[in-house]
Amino acid sequence: MFDVLVFVYEHYWRGDVCPELQQLERKLSAHGFDADEIHAALSWLDGLNFAAQHASADPGPREPAGAPGSMRIYSVAEQDHLGAECLGFISFLEGAGVLPPAMREIVVDRAMAAPGDPVALDELKIIVMMVYWSFGHEPDALVLDELCEPATGRLAH
């Protein structure tokens, strides 16, 4: 599924320029992706589109997740499915000010819809990129570097 998502991200620069799911399915099939992998990715993308549209439509002033000083408490199911590494990465992005609460909730929702127990950090990074993509935003260069470059081989300063 994640190979398909990466392909979609690389070939359609924003979510709103991506073809309808039926047309996208034909294009993905023509590029040689497995039918099961395509179906899983399209189902996941449909959920992403739904979440992004509803987040955009809802101004959210009553939403407590956006309140200054608020804290997100993860359920046991979320903790188990995301794992410590992914939860730490989400916290890092929030602390850096690059993952607002509404986008964080979509990241968590889409990560919960992803296979794997726990979700791998590389897969979570793809999910974060796809959430940015669905809003038509490109992460700034430092965030993009963090999302695309493997952490192995880096020296801490």
Side-chain angles (χ1 to χ4, degrees), residues 58-106:
D58 182 23
R62 68 191 188 293
E63 186 178 346
S70 65
M71 179 187 299
R72 170 64 154 88
I73 306 296
Y74 293 92
S75 71
V76 172
E78 290 170 335
Q79 291 175 34
D80 290 343
H81 191 69
L82 295 173
E85 194 174 29
C86 288
L87 290 172
F89 188 72
I90 291 170
S91 179
F92 162 74
L93 293 175
E94 282 185 286
V98 297
L99 190 65
M103 287 179 78
R104 177 202 59 220
E105 291 307 309
I106 295 173

Side-chain angles (χ1 to χ4, degrees), residues 1-154:
M1 176 181 94
F2 287 99
D3 290 337
V4 174
L5 294 178
V6 169
F7 177 88
V8 170
Y9 182 85
E10 290 175 346
H11 286 82
Y12 303 101
W13 54 286
R14 284 192 339 247
D16 61 350
V17 298
C18 188
E20 294 293 323
L21 294 180
Q22 288 180 334
Q23 183 181 5
L24 181 58
E25 181 177 14
R26 288 190 299 272
K27 288 184 180 207
L28 293 169
S29 183
H31 279 345
F33 288 104
D34 178 67
D36 290 339
E37 198 172 80
I38 292 171
H39 177 71
L42 293 181
S43 177
W44 189 92
L45 279 171
D46 192 39
L48 176 62
N49 292 337
F50 181 81
Q53 287 172 354
H54 287 283
S56 299
D58 182 23
R62 68 191 188 293
E63 186 178 346
S70 65
M71 179 187 299
R72 170 64 154 88
I73 306 296
Y74 293 92
S75 71
V76 172
E78 290 170 335
Q79 291 175 34
D80 290 343
H81 191 69
L82 295 173
E85 194 174 29
C86 288
L87 290 172
F89 188 72
I90 291 170
S91 179
F92 162 74
L93 293 175
E94 282 185 286
V98 297
L99 190 65
M103 287 179 78
R104 177 202 59 220
E105 291 307 309
I106 295 173
V107 167
V108 171
D109 174 70
R110 295 293 74 213
M112 292 300 291
D117 252 346
V119 172
L121 181 59
D122 287 342
E123 293 170 349
L124 179 75
K125 289 178 178 184
I126 293 169
I127 292 168
V128 172
M129 286 179 19
M130 293 304 293
V131 170
Y132 271 100
W133 174 85
S134 70
F135 281 93
H137 300 286
E138 184 173 324
D140 67 34
L142 293 175
V143 174
L144 198 56
D145 181 53
E146 192 65 40
L147 292 172
C148 294
E149 292 293 320
T152 57
R154 288 188 184 175

